[in-house]
Amino acid sequence: MLDSLPPAVTIVEVGPRDGLQNESEQVATADKVRLIEALAATGLRHIEITSFVSPKWIPQMADAPAVASTVRLPPGVVSSALVPNAKGYEAARLAGMKDIAVFMSASETHSRKNINKSIDEALATLSEVVRLSQRDGVRVRGYLSVVFSCPYEGKVNPVDVVKLSARLFELGVEEVSLGDTIGAATPTDVRDLLKLFGSEADRRRIALHFHDTRGTALANVVAGLDGGITVFDASIGGMGGCPYAPGAAGNLATEDLVYMLHGMGIQTGIDLDKLVDCGELAQQIVKRKLPGRYLQACLSNRAIKLQQAAGREAEVTQ
Amino acid sequence: MLDSLPPAVTIVEVGPRDGLQNESEQVATADKVRLIEALAATGLRHIEITSFVSPKWIPQMADAPAVASTVRLPPGVVSSALVPNAKGYEAARLAGMKDIAVFMSASETHSRKNINKSIDEALATLSEVVRLSQRDGVRVRGYLSVVFSCPYEGKVNPVDVVKLSARLFELGVEEVSLGDTIGAATPTDVRDLLKLFGSEADRRRIALHFHDTRGTALANVVAGLDGGITVFDASIGGMGGCPYAPGAAGNLATEDLVYMLHGMGIQTGIDLDKLVDCGELAQQIVKRKLPGRYLQACLSNRAIKLQQAAGREAEVTQ
């Protein structure tokens, strides 16, 4: 019964990249910088701040060089940027990035639809980036997407995911983040995949990246914790997700994750109240209500407290 | 690693009662009946259809006798009604109810604030109802609320919860549903509480009732499954919750629960597609978007399919 939980976990905040890249309305660079700096002040120790992709693909990330060179982070906070290829890598380096992330799909069809490359072609591009990183002493994180379900192929074979992860480690990727990109996984999927990673040493280099599209993200985190994982990705307010399903929830919300972990006695080093302030800031920036449950409960409660302070009748039950 | 999961679970649908009782705008009796009958057609085998409380307390439930006597359910579907006292019990019996539910708080302050009775006074009222039920051969379910956290007292002692549950079983309550009324529990809270229920026989008579206020409901279900629980309450679309936090999520959504359980290979006997139709119907009835994640993902996806059918450009990734 959930008896071997880790004492602490690391959260990688992906909101400024994975969250904002799905926003159709252009967010001002200054707002992005303000959000990233506020996130860094919560105690988060790793923030993915932007993506050096072609502005033709993702116009929202066209200001990557400006974001990277403007943002000021306290010592000890790692900031990373996504890069799709050698050209993106050089741009990231020019902007002073010392940590990068590469990505590829675990399914052949998703790979072709997403980046117009086969898995082997994606691996070739990716290994070129890793080689350059190693030359420069840059740390590389690798995202493997659609590791449980592919929108085109359905269930993904976990054996293939383990093989691809091993390939990424061999190339020199330091940490592999396994992504449930469409938010379809359930806890037994997570359990079964993790069992295939033989050694605890392997599991220490695996991160899990869940989406809450069907509400299962935190349940999957529990299965991940139970399976020895200590690094989880999350996005402030639950920003992000699938651009083709605008009414659906997106990434796992950082506040939901931190609330649960702290409640379970698992340390994150993060100040949850400050994180809620960041969620409120993120809502202002993207000009809409974000799907994070904890955020909405807190903001609703704050609104009630404001009403009470104004002498109106209301009762606080939380 | 989550290795002793049950092959099947029972879901108790509480939307028509626990969900609707929080709606401020009066819902027509015919709409309630339509929703309950649609829910019964999904394969759900236990639906709490209404509450025989004083209309002064909860005006939304003033039509309890009409709902109970109008609704037509297929054989094998249990319908129950909440009753607060002997008067409510007699009204429920007059309306033909054969299954009832009683309720009380696990915290002294919540008990006084909620029903203006101490725990001992609440137990006395409740035992009178159970005595009448036993005379009539009526099955009694018992709700114990705020079993993890109380909005007034904070953390609730799990030892007290186990004692109160034992007291309810002694009185003749057949199943006790433990409620995380304010949605504050995390999986280790659930684990720790369940460990205190010594025997598997005891755990077979315990149901868990989670709220998704902070996003932890399904994660708590995982802890419940891992701890030997096989009965879970849920509410269609996630209807319900705290009337004092209108922006927050409410009860665990039935569709989210069924999606996760089926994905874990755990049977429920419920048709998930039909459940989504019920969620859509519930939204029409309460005239607002409900918080269920799976429901919103499906409705968003259906909207996209409709757009595609109309020849507009859109891509379905789920």
Side-chain angles (χ1 to χ4, degrees), chain A residues 1-3 5 113 150-152 155 182-191 194-195 203 212-216 218-219 222-223 226-227 242 244-249 256 259-261 263-265 289 291-294 296-297 300-301 304 314-318, chain B residues 1-3 5 113 150-152 155 182-191 194-195 203 212-216 218-219 222-223 226-227 242 244-249 256 259-261 263-265 289 291-294 296-297 300-301 304 314-318:
Chain A
M1 281 169 81
L2 302 177
D3 276 326
L5 298 170
K113 296 257 186 186
C150 165
Y152 310 106
K155 281 264 177 192
I182 62 167
T186 63
T188 45
D189 297 324
V190 178
R191 174 197 68 187
L194 293 179
K195 279 185 178 171
R203 286 198 284 263
D212 209 24
T213 323
R214 295 166 183 78
T216 56
L218 282 183
V222 172
D226 192 47
C242 174
Y244 310 114
D256 289 355
Y259 174 79
M260 185 180 83
L261 292 172
M264 296 174 78
K289 204 169 153 175
R293 299 284 203 215
Y294 187 80
Q296 294 311 327
S300 162
N301 212 255
I304 290 160
E315 193 177 338
V316 178
T317 63
Q318 293 175 49
Chain B
M1 283 169 80
L2 302 177
D3 276 325
L5 299 169
K113 295 257 185 184
C150 165
Y152 311 104
K155 282 265 177 193
I182 63 168
T186 63
T188 45
D189 297 323
V190 178
R191 175 198 68 188
L194 293 179
K195 278 185 179 171
R203 286 199 284 264
D212 208 24
T213 322
R214 294 164 183 80
T216 56
L218 282 184
V222 172
D226 193 46
C242 173
Y244 310 114
D256 289 356
Y259 174 78
M260 185 179 84
L261 292 172
M264 297 174 79
K289 205 169 151 175
R293 299 285 202 215
Y294 186 81
Q296 294 311 327
S300 163
N301 213 256
I304 290 161
E315 193 177 339
V316 178
T317 64
Q318 293 175 51

Side-chain angles (χ1 to χ4, degrees), chain A:
Chain A
M1 281 169 81
L2 302 177
D3 276 326
S4 59
L5 298 170
V9 308
T10 301
I11 296 177
V12 178
E13 170 61 45
V14 298
R17 194 275 303 171
D18 198 15
L20 287 179
Q21 77 178 15
N22 281 308
E23 293 295 321
S24 48
E25 213 174 302
Q26 193 65 35
V27 172
T29 306
D31 281 341
K32 294 179 184 177
V33 169
R34 198 152 59 105
L35 178 61
I36 294 163
E37 291 178 349
L39 287 165
T42 65
L44 276 159
R45 283 295 163 262
H46 186 165
I47 305 173
E48 194 164 274
I49 62 169
T50 187
S51 172
F52 288 84
V53 288
S54 164
K56 274 182 286 179
W57 288 4
I58 302 178
Q60 185 66 264
M61 295 286 129
D63 61 356
V67 169
S69 55
T70 309
V71 77
R72 290 285 167 270
L73 299 180
V77 176
V78 171
S79 73
S80 59
L82 198 71
V83 303
N85 49 35
K87 192 178 163 195
Y89 175 79
E90 297 302 346
R93 286 296 290 160
L94 261 176
M97 298 304 302
K98 289 172 191 143
D99 279 77
I100 61 150
V102 293
F103 61 96
M104 63 177 293
S105 297
S107 115
E108 199 64 53
T109 315
H110 186 264
S111 185
R112 291 179 190 271
K113 296 257 186 186
N114 196 37
I115 57 170
N116 201 27
K117 286 190 172 87
S118 70
I119 284 180
D120 280 345
E121 289 164 347
L123 270 170
T125 302
L126 190 154
S127 62
E128 191 188 351
V129 174
V130 178
R131 197 177 44 77
L132 295 169
S133 306
Q134 286 178 322
R135 177 195 70 189
D136 300 339
V138 163
R139 186 175 176 272
V140 187
R141 176 172 226 244
Y143 287 103
L144 200 52
S145 61
V146 297
V147 302
F148 297 104
S149 277
C150 165
Y152 310 106
E153 297 183 13
K155 281 264 177 192
V156 173
N157 187 345
V159 173
D160 294 341
V161 174
V162 174
K163 279 185 194 158
L164 277 172
S165 302
R167 189 88 186 82
L168 293 176
F169 288 135
E170 277 165 26
L171 286 174
V173 168
E174 296 192 29
E175 177 173 280
V176 171
S177 173
L178 302 176
D180 180 21
T181 313
I182 62 167
T186 63
T188 45
D189 297 324
V190 178
R191 174 197 68 187
D192 295 345
L193 177 57
L194 293 179
K195 279 185 178 171
L196 293 178
F197 285 94
S199 73
E200 197 182 313
D202 280 352
R203 286 198 284 263
R204 291 276 163 206
R205 295 173 71 190
I206 294 289
L208 292 174
H209 179 111
F210 292 118
H211 282 229
D212 209 24
T213 323
R214 295 166 183 78
T216 56
L218 282 183
N220 291 335
V221 168
V222 172
L225 293 166
D226 192 47
I229 301 300
T230 57
V231 183
F232 295 90
D233 299 355
S235 171
I236 187 74
M239 266 203 303
C242 174
Y244 310 114
N251 288 61
L252 169 58
T254 316
E255 319 83 65
D256 289 355
L257 177 59
V258 170
Y259 174 79
M260 185 180 83
L261 292 172
H262 288 187
M264 296 174 78
I266 298 171
Q267 291 182 16
T268 66
I270 295 167
D271 182 320
L272 183 53
D273 285 338
K274 286 187 183 170
L275 211 51
V276 169
D277 293 337
C278 289
E280 202 169 8
L281 175 59
Q283 290 201 143
Q284 288 161 8
I285 288 173
V286 300
K287 300 185 186 73
R288 62 187 178 85
K289 204 169 153 175
L290 290 172
R293 299 284 203 215
Y294 187 80
L295 177 65
Q296 294 311 327
C298 285
L299 296 183
S300 162
N301 212 255
R302 284 183 187 180
I304 290 160
K305 282 183 184 159
L306 287 174
Q307 281 178 352
Q308 285 185 317
R312 294 190 205 152
E313 197 178 293
E315 193 177 338
V316 178
T317 63
Q318 293 175 49

